[in-house]
Amino acid sequence: MVINDNSVLSSRPALADEIGKVAEVAGYLWEKGWAERNGGNITVNITEFVDDALASVPPVGGPVAIGAEVPLLKGEFFFCKGTNRRMRDLASDPMSGGSIIRVMEDGLSYEIVADAAVKPTSELPSHLSVHNWFKAKGLPYKASLHTHPIELVAMSHHRPFLEKDVLTYLLWSMIPETKAFCPKGLGIVPYELPGSLKLAEGTIRELEDYDVVMWEKHGVFAVDEDIMKAFDQVDVLNKAAQIYMSARAMGFEPAGMTRAQMAEISEVFHLPK
Ligand code: 2HA
Ligand code: ZN
């Protein structure tokens, strides 16, 4: 990954590492075909990596309304993919494909801190509402990922798959690792307008029980301690979806692992359910 020498990252290795993970994941999303044009978005809470010098640089843009109230994020810093920016560009130069923002004291607006005045993702209301919810719940999660994984989105066009936990069990049953590495399964949010508060609210409702949620006919939203872990959860689920579709393309309904075999996985890997 190339980091611009003038970037705020050049003298901050820990911050550069964290944003480097975002760039790496952005490259994977593009390579997988999950990030057409400006599709998808990423936000990471980077407050722990922000020093006093960075916290006191004059803003390059804002304040701008977030479109959601996030009182628990006052003064916190986020790296956000830029709206209308491409994942494939973010992969090679994260500080021009995204920016660092600070949530203002009113909990309703943000300002852009670095490097350039790149306006954050159109899904900022849902992303920041989710980060606010992490704080409220005392969760260690720092990263939110929204992407358009082809096979999972295709499956969301089939109504029977949208019933509670139907896809979760189907995907878990395709290959043992799916349950091991996405132990809570896949929640479902019925279709809502992209970027809307309703979409944010539906997402938070599902995150009570799941780390990855499907936005019907649109994409998935995943959360975890860092962006690489959030990506891995989506990757294992989509791999299971590909196996299911490959079997169907060969003309048969895959047998799937039995419930007993899945229960054994839960026991051996110490999984929640
Ligand atoms: O940022 O994917 O849902 C582009 C999107 C919005
Ligand atoms: Zn999207």
Side-chain angles (χ1 to χ4, degrees):
M1 189 205 84
V2 181
I3 288 182
N4 173 351
D5 268 343
N6 299 322
S7 151
V8 296
L9 304 185
S10 56
S11 56
R12 295 182 175 87
L15 181 60
D17 247 28
E18 206 55 30
I19 294 178
K21 283 188 222 167
V22 175
E24 187 176 337
V25 165
Y28 298 152
L29 299 176
W30 165 249
E31 283 162 20
K32 285 184 162 291
W34 299 355
E36 71 291 345
R37 199 177 180 277
N38 62 322
N41 28 71
I42 293 177
T43 55
V44 180
N45 188 329
I46 52 158
T47 310
E48 68 191 288
F49 304 107
V50 172
D51 50 48
D52 291 346
L54 180 53
S56 48
V57 299
V60 292
V64 177
I66 291 164
E69 196 171 354
V70 291
L72 303 179
L73 301 182
K74 289 175 190 178
E76 302 253 324
F77 293 83
F78 292 85
F79 177 79
C80 304
K81 174 186 167 279
T83 189
N84 264 319
R85 299 297 159 126
R86 291 169 169 81
M87 284 291 178
R88 62 179 188 260
D89 295 335
L90 197 151
S92 55
D93 188 358
M95 293 311 293
S96 59
S99 54
I100 294 174
I101 65 163
R102 175 197 351 246
V103 176
M104 310 295 284
E105 282 303 308
D106 60 7
L108 290 166
S109 53
Y110 69 85
E111 62 187 12
I112 302 171
V113 173
D115 271 345
V118 175
K119 191 170 180 283
T121 161
S122 60
E123 299 288 359
L124 196 67
S126 49
H127 278 255
L128 289 190
S129 299
V130 164
H131 286 281
N132 191 70
W133 177 83
F134 295 157
K135 293 266 172 192
K137 300 286 278 187
L139 294 170
Y141 293 173
K142 295 280 164 59
S144 297
L145 166 67
H146 164 58
T147 187
H148 302 162
I150 300 163
E151 290 80 4
L152 285 173
V153 176
M155 291 180 96
S156 82
H157 285 262
H158 186 51
R159 186 137 285 285
F161 286 156
L162 302 178
E163 296 298 323
K164 188 170 173 60
D165 287 335
V166 169
L167 265 183
T168 294
Y169 283 101
L170 180 68
L171 296 171
W172 278 349
S173 79
M174 288 297 103
I175 173 169
E177 277 80 355
T178 313
K179 189 170 189 192
F181 299 122
C182 186
K184 295 182 177 175
L186 182 63
I188 307 286
V189 180
Y191 183 84
E192 292 292 352
L193 183 71
S196 66
L197 209 49
K198 274 184 143 174
L199 184 57
E201 288 161 0
T203 303
I204 288 171
R205 253 194 318 276
E206 290 301 292
L207 289 176
E208 291 278 353
D209 296 321
Y210 305 93
D211 285 341
V212 187
V213 303
M214 170 82 84
W215 290 350
E216 181 187 350
K217 299 169 189 156
H218 179 169
V220 298
F221 191 95
V223 298
D224 214 318
E225 291 169 12
D226 72 16
I227 196 63
M228 203 62 78
K229 289 181 178 176
F231 168 77
D232 281 335
Q233 293 210 56
V234 181
D235 195 28
V236 296
L237 286 174
N238 199 67
K239 172 69 174 274
Q242 287 175 317
I243 292 168
Y244 176 79
M245 290 173 70
S246 300
R248 293 298 304 252
M250 285 186 281
F252 61 87
E253 178 74 26
M257 294 157 59
T258 64
R259 290 286 174 121
Q261 289 165 340
M262 288 195 269
E264 186 186 24
I265 294 280
S266 296
E267 206 181 304
V268 172
F269 286 82
H270 309 290
L271 306 176
K273 58 181 174 185

